[in-house]
Amino acid sequence: MASRFLCLILEEQNLKPTNNRDMDRREFLKAFAATTAFSVLNPLEAISEEKKNRPLRVGFIGTGARGTGVITSMSRHNNVEIYALADLFRDRIDSVLPHLNSLNKAKGLGEIAPENIYVGGNAYKQLLKDKNVDLVIISTPAYAHPEIFEAAVKAHKHVYCEKPSAPDVYGTLKMKECARKAKGLSLVMGFQVRHASAYDEMIRRIHNGDIGEIVTAQLYYNGNGGAGSKPTVEDDEFRIRHHFQYLAMSGGILNDQGIHILDICNTVLKATPEYAIGLGNTKGKRYKFGDTLSNYHCVYGYPNGVNVSIQSLQIGNEFGDVCARFFGTKGMAEAHYTGGVFITGPNKWNSNNNNALSDASKNKTVNFINSITSGNYVNEIEDACNSTLTAMLGREAAIKNSKLTWEEMIAENQRYGDQPDLSKF
């Protein structure tokens, strides 16, 4: 799954529950008002003269395959220097260090200094203390995102955080609240699909009324599953290294992969769902450890009577298609990762792009870096957290095997209690 994901990319205070649904929805709609890609805030103080004369310095926290894909694209398309690294495990850093140094070398920059490489449970804290670091990429297992994100904001670092925001509702609301209070920072999450030109144009045309009033939508994300034998010991280190197989670590496949297409759905509909009904099980799962489900089938009820179905699975060796179809009173809009993005009906349109994510990775990093250098800081986190909560609503409905409303999910404030303590490493 990781290798397939890289193929697509190289081209992720304790809160009181609230039942104020209307206020939450108004805030969500405001987040979409400016643009489908970035909600640009009022320009703040532009980047200092000193920073204008050098590359922005990036701190890379969590040096696995997903984050390496992001930082590779960011280095190739922007004026940045890979300056500092942090990971729990030294072997992870050693495996990627030659590649990262080669990215710097290609731009005439020096290798990452040994004193800027941090290992262990406090590694991210040590990196965040470095005043030379301008921005950070957080690509650890999802369970650590809220803690590290909050620390990065307190250290006044611009943040690119991989999705999802967290595996549970509690962590997502925690991140959402932290982002609401942040000032003078660009804070974004790794929803690269919304930055793909073909998707962006389709969404613009839908919002322009090209397919009429949306009646219903069909979504699916059919991934491959891989395989792994049950280990002798499933300790915290093993769980961290295989975090995608544990609900408390990643949130499961709807939270990690299906979330991309749900994010597009929320963007198109300019709303979050009111409720979900779901089914899921482990049929076809090839990993012999962990507690994640292999497939989900969920139906979401959105405002104005718009019903949305999603299928998300992770089985077998072959990567299936990823698709979103929106059916309107005048036509249909359809978007695939590798099968075209187009509109049928009287306002027919075709992107003529069978590799719809071809510019997504570049665009998302360029937009992020430009927001910093221009002083037009962006904050995508509330929007991104709502997409994460949408995935969780379907997951929890499937696990409960019953209808679950958005208000009930927020009030329950679901939290996984068996997450590893970073300070032990």
Side-chain angles (χ1 to χ4, degrees):
M1 181 61 184
S3 61
R4 173 62 184 180
F5 188 90
L6 274 178
C7 288
L8 293 173
I9 293 187
L10 287 175
E11 319 226 12
E12 191 190 89
Q13 26 294 91
N14 191 6
L15 298 180
K16 295 180 181 179
T18 177
N19 290 318
N20 194 342
R21 173 70 175 188
D22 291 337
M23 179 61 71
D24 190 68
R25 185 168 303 286
R26 286 197 297 271
E27 292 173 352
F28 180 82
L29 293 175
K30 286 179 184 178
F32 278 108
T35 176
T36 60
F38 274 85
S39 297
V40 180
L41 308 180
N42 291 328
L44 300 174
E45 183 179 351
I47 195 166
S48 68
E49 288 300 320
E50 182 269 334
K51 289 182 181 179
K52 285 182 180 178
N53 296 322
R54 64 163 173 80
L56 291 178
R57 292 169 180 155
V58 182
F60 183 17
I61 303 173
T63 60
R66 183 170 292 182
T68 300
V70 174
I71 203 166
T72 298
S73 179
M74 187 176 290
S75 175
R76 288 175 176 168
H77 300 297
N78 300 276
N79 186 24
V80 300
E81 176 184 2
I82 305 171
Y83 186 81
L85 309 177
D87 202 296
L88 284 179
F89 309 118
R90 181 72 210 198
D91 65 291
R92 287 284 178 86
I93 289 178
D94 289 342
S95 67
V96 76
L97 187 57
H99 172 65
L100 301 181
N101 281 332
S102 72
L103 291 171
N104 277 350
K105 183 178 180 180
K107 306 175 76 166
L109 301 170
E111 294 186 349
I112 301 165
E115 60 268 25
N116 294 338
I117 297 175
Y118 308 98
V119 180
N122 290 319
Y124 78 90
K125 295 178 181 178
Q126 293 172 295
L127 184 150
L128 291 173
K129 288 179 181 178
D130 191 336
K131 297 187 181 302
N132 292 312
V133 173
D134 302 307
L135 63 108
V136 295
I137 295 173
I138 301 172
S139 58
T140 63
Y143 87 94
H145 288 177
E147 176 182 336
I148 299 174
F149 177 84
E150 184 175 26
V153 170
K154 287 182 178 178
H156 205 71
K157 309 295 185 187
H158 303 284
V159 179
Y160 176 106
C161 182
E162 257 307 330
K163 56 83 204 158
S165 52
D168 51 22
V169 175
Y170 172 83
T172 298
L173 294 180
K174 181 179 180 181
M175 183 181 287
K176 191 174 182 179
E177 181 65 17
C178 178
R180 281 176 174 166
K181 297 176 181 177
K183 304 295 181 184
L185 293 172
S186 278
L187 308 171
V188 305
M189 197 168 287
F191 287 104
Q192 81 272 8
V193 182
R194 61 167 73 180
H195 295 278
S197 297
Y199 275 81
D200 186 58
E201 179 61 16
M202 180 195 72
I203 293 168
R204 188 192 69 79
R205 288 171 180 267
I206 293 174
H207 289 169
N208 192 50
D210 284 16
I211 67 169
E213 181 183 3
I214 296 175
V215 177
T216 188
Q218 176 192 26
L219 317 173
Y220 57 87
Y221 194 125
N222 297 330
N224 56 308
S229 302
K230 188 172 180 62
T232 303
V233 178
E234 289 186 64
D235 57 12
D236 280 349
E237 179 174 343
F238 181 88
R239 293 170 67 219
I240 290 171
R241 289 181 181 270
H242 300 85
H243 55 100
F244 291 118
Q245 304 309 314
Y246 296 91
L247 286 172
M249 310 291 286
S250 68
I253 63 170
L254 192 59
N255 204 48
D256 184 66
Q257 65 174 37
I259 192 173
H260 280 295
I261 216 71
L262 287 169
D263 180 65
I264 294 300
C265 184
N266 284 357
T267 304
V268 167
L269 299 180
K270 299 183 181 180
T272 55
E274 296 174 330
Y275 65 88
I277 302 169
L279 294 172
N281 58 41
T282 60
K283 189 174 179 64
K285 183 175 179 178
R286 300 177 66 200
Y287 282 94
K288 306 304 180 185
F289 55 87
D291 58 355
T292 57
L293 305 187
S294 62
N295 67 92
Y296 290 88
H297 287 75
C298 302
V299 175
Y300 290 95
Y302 278 79
N304 301 317
V306 178
N307 295 324
V308 174
S309 65
I310 182 170
Q311 170 186 304
S312 184
L313 60 87
Q314 201 172 96
I315 60 174
N317 295 320
E318 299 300 321
F319 191 92
D321 192 17
V322 181
C323 178
R325 292 190 181 99
F326 299 94
F327 299 87
T329 54
K330 294 181 181 178
M332 180 185 71
E334 185 166 333
H336 301 258
Y337 275 13
T338 55
V341 180
F342 51 89
I343 289 175
T344 60
N347 298 308
K348 186 176 180 180
W349 166 79
N350 197 318
S351 68
N352 296 312
N353 187 346
N354 285 329
N355 185 6
L357 298 190
S358 59
D359 63 355
S361 187
K362 174 184 176 181
N363 290 347
K364 70 176 179 179
T365 62
V366 169
N367 290 340
F368 174 51
I369 297 302
N370 284 349
S371 74
I372 298 170
T373 56
S374 68
N376 290 317
Y377 302 131
V378 298
N379 189 338
E380 289 185 339
I381 301 303
E382 287 194 54
D383 177 7
C385 285
N386 280 329
S387 292
T388 305
L389 290 169
T390 299
M392 291 175 183
L393 183 65
R395 181 194 69 201
E396 292 303 300
I399 290 174
K400 295 174 182 289
N401 195 22
S402 65
K403 179 180 177 180
L404 180 67
T405 69
W406 185 281
E407 291 91 342
E408 289 168 341
M409 175 185 67
I410 298 300
E412 289 175 4
N413 202 14
Q414 174 260 341
R415 182 180 186 182
Y416 289 116
D418 55 345
Q419 297 170 337
D421 182 355
L422 290 177
S423 65
K424 296 192 305 182
F425 292 88

